[in-house]
Amino acid sequence: MPSTSRNLPQLLGDARRWFEEGLLAALEAGGATRVSPAQAQLFAVLDDQGTTVSELARRMGVTRQTAHQAVHGLVTAGLLEQAPDPAATRQRLILRTEEGQRAHRQACHILERLEDQLAERIGREQVDALRTVLEAPWGRPPIPGSA
């Protein structure tokens, strides 16, 4: 008989989707520009002073092409812009536009409300404990075959 227990990565993925779906639904209900989950993730890993596409791809765990596609959609939507990187003339930084900054602040506020709603459902102590565990340094993943 197959096991029905779910492993930790599956559970963490479900938790991420819960927040993602809540965020995207609240943004859409508030009249914000519609974005994909990948575009929302990109927004979350973008530095305020700008980030290269290569660095965004690394932070998102996707290919540079996938990150570039997400950037292009957000540039087209008026939420991001590209600017020369003063540290490397052949690179460009991805920055939030004024509208993108407003959308980012709105998303941060929505995520705070979602966390409060989660605390109402499972308890503030549980949410605080979850945050503590997830913020703890885990170190590098173990190498297969090593102790």
Side-chain angles (χ1 to χ4, degrees):
M1 178 170 223
S3 171
T4 59
S5 72
R6 310 216 29 223
N7 64 39
L8 191 53
Q10 290 170 323
L11 296 171
L12 289 169
D14 287 348
R16 178 181 175 162
R17 277 187 295 284
W18 185 87
F19 275 100
E20 199 170 75
E21 289 172 9
L23 170 64
L24 295 176
L27 286 170
E28 190 172 330
T33 301
R34 191 172 188 166
V35 296
S36 71
Q39 290 170 328
Q41 182 187 6
L42 185 142
F43 241 79
V45 298
L46 181 65
D47 294 330
D48 290 339
Q49 65 275 12
T51 313
T52 65
V53 171
S54 296
E55 180 60 18
L56 290 169
R58 186 192 68 74
R59 291 177 185 178
M60 293 170 65
V62 299
T63 65
R64 189 179 184 287
Q65 180 181 5
T66 299
H68 182 73
Q69 288 172 343
V71 166
H72 180 71
L74 291 167
V75 167
T76 300
L79 298 173
L80 295 180
E81 61 188 351
Q82 297 182 37
D85 184 346
T89 57
R90 293 175 19 134
Q91 291 189 8
R92 303 198 47 84
L93 292 177
I94 308 305
L95 301 154
R96 291 182 194 99
T97 62
E98 188 174 314
E99 177 63 19
Q101 291 172 1
R102 188 195 65 71
H104 182 67
R105 286 189 302 273
Q106 181 183 11
C108 289
H109 179 70
I110 291 167
L111 289 171
E112 288 173 7
R113 285 193 335 233
L114 287 169
E115 187 172 319
D116 289 343
Q117 290 173 358
L118 181 62
E120 289 174 13
R121 293 178 182 191
I122 69 171
R124 175 52 62 188
E125 289 178 10
Q126 297 286 69
V127 170
D128 291 344
L130 178 60
R131 176 178 291 285
T132 298
V133 169
L134 293 174
E135 288 177 342
W138 290 19
R140 297 186 59 81
I143 298 170
S146 66

